[in-house]
Amino acid sequence: DQPRAQDPPESASARSANRASFGSSHSRGSSDGLTPTKRTGSFGSSRAMFRQGSYVGCELPEGADIILAVDIGTTGTKAVLSILGRSHEELATAYEQYTSGTATDSTGACVDQQPVDWWNAFIRVSRKVLNASGACGAEPRLGSLSIVLSGQMQDMILVSAEKPEGIRPAILYSDSRAKAQAARLEATVGKDVLTAKTGNYKGATSCIAKWLWLQEEAVEDFASAEAVLLGAHGYVAWRLCGQVLCDYT
C-alpha cells in the first residue's frame, strides 16, 4: 500500500488554490490516523483526525460531487474531503508527517526537502480520506472529484520526466544560501527596483537569487531540468497531470 516514488505524472484533474482553511480544535489520533470525534477542525496537532457528522463513511450521498482539498506544508500534508457546495460539512480529514523532515547545513543557511516526500504524503492522506468516507471501494459512491491544492511557496524544485522524484532536493522558501547572488543583484539592479518589480523582494531567500545560485552552483542539475517549480503544491499538481503551474502569490 506504499506509494511509488518513481511513478510518472498521472492523468487526473488538479487545481491550485491560494489557501486552504481547516477549522479549529483537535482530537487525539489513532493507529490508523483517523479518529472519530464530535467536533474537529484545525491541524494544530500533528495527529490525523476524522470528523463525525451527517455524512461519514457509508452515509456519503450517492452520486455526490466532492472536493479533496490538500495543503502541502513544511512538516506535513493535510487533507479535507467535503461535499461540493457544503464545505462546512467535512466528510473526513487526515494528516501525514514527512519522514525525512528538512535538512540544513551547519550555518542554517541551507534548507532542503525531498519533493517525493510531498507526493508520498499526498497519496497517503488522499487514500485515508477517500477510503474513510466511502467515496472509493468496490462500489464507488461519488459523482465527481475535484482536487484543490495549496502549500508552501517560493521553493526551487528542479524536475524532469526521467526524475519525477526531483533532480535534487528542493530548496525551501527559508533557505538563504544565495547571499552572494542577492548582493550582486542588489548592486547591479538596485534593491528598490527589485522590490518594485516583484512586490515582495526577500533578498537571499527570494526565488530570483536562488535561481541564480542553481545556475552557478548546480550547473549540471539545472541544465538537466525540464521545469523549475516554485511551490510544493505545484510539484504535486505536476505529478498529477504533467502541467507546470504556479499561483500568482
Side-chain angles (χ1 to χ4, degrees), residues 42-103:
S42 161
F43 294 93
S45 158
S46 65
R47 302 179 185 276
M49 298 165 294
F50 182 77
R51 178 171 180 168
Q52 184 179 43
S54 301
Y55 302 102
V56 175
C58 63
E59 295 182 37
L60 174 68
E62 187 74 36
D65 297 322
I66 58 177
I67 295 176
L68 173 61
V70 183
D71 178 64
I72 300 94
T74 307
T75 59
T77 289
K78 321 167 190 69
V80 172
L81 193 69
S82 60
I83 300 173
L84 183 64
R86 296 159 68 175
S87 59
H88 61 289
E89 297 183 25
E90 297 167 6
L91 295 169
T93 63
Y95 177 87
E96 180 81 17
Q97 190 165 349
Y98 306 134
T99 55
S100 64
T102 57

Side-chain angles (χ1 to χ4, degrees), residues 12 25 38 45 88 94 115 130 168 222 227 244 247:
S25 178
K38 291 184 178 179
S45 158
H88 61 289
L130 289 168
R168 54 170 289 118
F222 193 84
V244 177
D247 63 43

Side-chain angles (χ1 to χ4, degrees), residues 71-77 98 101-103 109-119 150-159 168-178 200 202 204-214 222 227-236 244-247 249:
D71 178 64
I72 300 94
T74 307
T75 59
T77 289
Y98 306 134
T102 57
C110 298
V111 186
D112 294 330
Q113 201 162 49
Q114 297 295 337
V116 74
D117 286 348
W118 306 329
W119 175 244
S150 70
Q152 52 165 301
M153 298 180 288
Q154 297 190 60
D155 300 335
M156 300 297 290
I157 310 149
L158 305 183
V159 295
R168 54 170 289 118
I171 299 178
L172 296 198
Y173 55 91
S174 55
D175 187 288
S176 60
R177 73 185 70 185
N200 192 22
K202 291 182 175 291
T205 65
S206 64
C207 288
I208 187 171
K210 289 182 285 192
W211 184 294
L212 288 174
W213 185 93
L214 285 168
F222 193 84
V228 180
L229 305 173
L230 303 181
H233 52 320
Y235 173 77
V236 171
V244 177
L245 306 168
C246 180
D247 63 43
T249 57

